[in-house]
Amino acid sequence: MSEGIQMAIVGLMVAGAALYLLRKYLPRGRTAGGKSTQDGACGSCKRCNSGSCH
């Protein structure tokens, strides 16, 4: 029984890590303010140089 619980815990940790990485690295389809389309395209640096992130 304890082996099943351990497997469930490990599975939840792996699923949580996968969701975290997907949310961090995949571009978001929706923006909170919706004011600027360039913010979503640039990523975390927020300073685009001629349309491309550096």
Side-chain angles (χ1 to χ4, degrees), residues 1-2 4 9-10 15 23-25 27 29 36 38-39 43 49 52:
M1 187 68 175
S2 64
I9 291 171
V10 169
R23 290 186 67 189
K24 184 173 181 178
Y25 291 109
S36 176
Q38 200 170 14
D39 286 345
N49 189 9
S52 64

Side-chain angles (χ1 to χ4, degrees), residues 24-28 31 36-54:
K24 184 173 181 178
Y25 291 109
L26 286 180
R28 291 183 185 96
T31 56
S36 176
T37 58
Q38 200 170 14
D39 286 345
C42 193
S44 63
C45 70
K46 302 284 190 241
R47 290 184 308 235
C48 291
N49 189 9
S50 14
S52 64
C53 203
H54 48 85

